[in-house]
Amino acid sequence: MTQATCPRGDTSTWWSPATLRGTKAIIIKFDKETCRPCPVRDQCTRSKTGGRTLSLQRRELQEVFDHARLQQANEQWRAKYGTRAGVEGTIQAVAVTGIRRARYLGLQKTHLEHVFSAVALNLIRLDAWWNGHPLDRTRVSHLARLDLSLAA
């Protein structure tokens, strides 16, 4: 039987193949009786009653994810992503104007709706720029929030 070991040295009690969002994975569970009295439980799981549960991707896919996470720690990657994040900010058109689905039938009316939506977005951006208000906050990951709370 294959087992996983937690950081405190306890072994898993259940290991099973599964399909998560269409991708093959392995689900690993630790016994709740082992996890409940653990002094570092809050660092392992958010579950209040059960034990720790892990979801692992296939080895090849997990290695790709791990490699990508290592690259994301690089300053050059962060600068490149900063440009992408700016471009992704333009996707606000969907949230602000509901442009994903046309309100009207016909190419000319739909085109006119898109033009009006673009003008509205430009006015919103100009207003934010003139008044010195950023349009959106940059997303802060859970790990970064934890790091900020520990630093305070």
Side-chain angles (χ1 to χ4, degrees), residues 3 13 18 25 33 38 40 42 45 49 66 72 79 81 87 91 110 133 136 147 150:
Q3 292 183 324
T13 56
E33 301 304 324
C38 181
V40 293
D42 294 341
T45 183
T49 58
D66 293 342
Q72 292 173 6
Y81 184 77
V87 170
I91 299 175
T110 303
H133 298 274
D136 197 10
D147 188 36
L150 292 176

Side-chain angles (χ1 to χ4, degrees), residues 25-142:
I26 297 171
I27 306 295
I28 302 170
K29 292 186 179 184
F30 290 84
D31 187 28
K32 63 182 175 184
E33 301 304 324
T34 304
C35 292
R36 195 173 290 151
C38 181
V40 293
R41 174 187 178 90
D42 294 341
Q43 296 174 6
C44 287
T45 183
R46 286 180 265 163
S47 172
K48 301 297 180 199
T49 58
R52 181 179 185 174
T53 301
L54 299 174
S55 301
L56 301 178
Q57 304 292 332
R58 290 188 338 255
R59 180 181 298 266
E60 306 84 42
L61 196 55
Q62 189 68 43
E63 288 173 355
V64 169
F65 287 150
D66 293 342
H67 179 69
R69 286 186 188 106
L70 282 175
Q71 286 181 327
Q72 292 173 6
N74 183 351
E75 279 302 317
Q76 183 180 5
W77 184 91
R78 288 178 187 226
K80 184 178 176 183
Y81 184 77
T83 304
R84 177 181 169 189
V87 170
E88 287 178 353
T90 63
I91 299 175
Q92 73 181 10
V94 172
V96 173
T97 64
I99 202 167
R100 184 172 286 154
R101 185 173 207 114
R103 292 177 179 89
Y104 308 104
L105 295 176
L107 192 58
Q108 291 177 336
K109 290 180 184 178
T110 303
H111 174 71
L112 186 62
E113 179 185 5
H114 289 175
V115 170
F116 283 148
S117 295
V119 169
L121 285 171
N122 286 337
L123 290 173
I124 290 169
R125 291 175 181 157
L126 280 172
D127 177 59
W129 185 55
W130 285 330
N131 293 315
H133 298 274
L135 287 174
D136 197 10
R137 296 178 303 277
T138 303
R139 180 184 173 278
V140 178
S141 71
H142 296 294

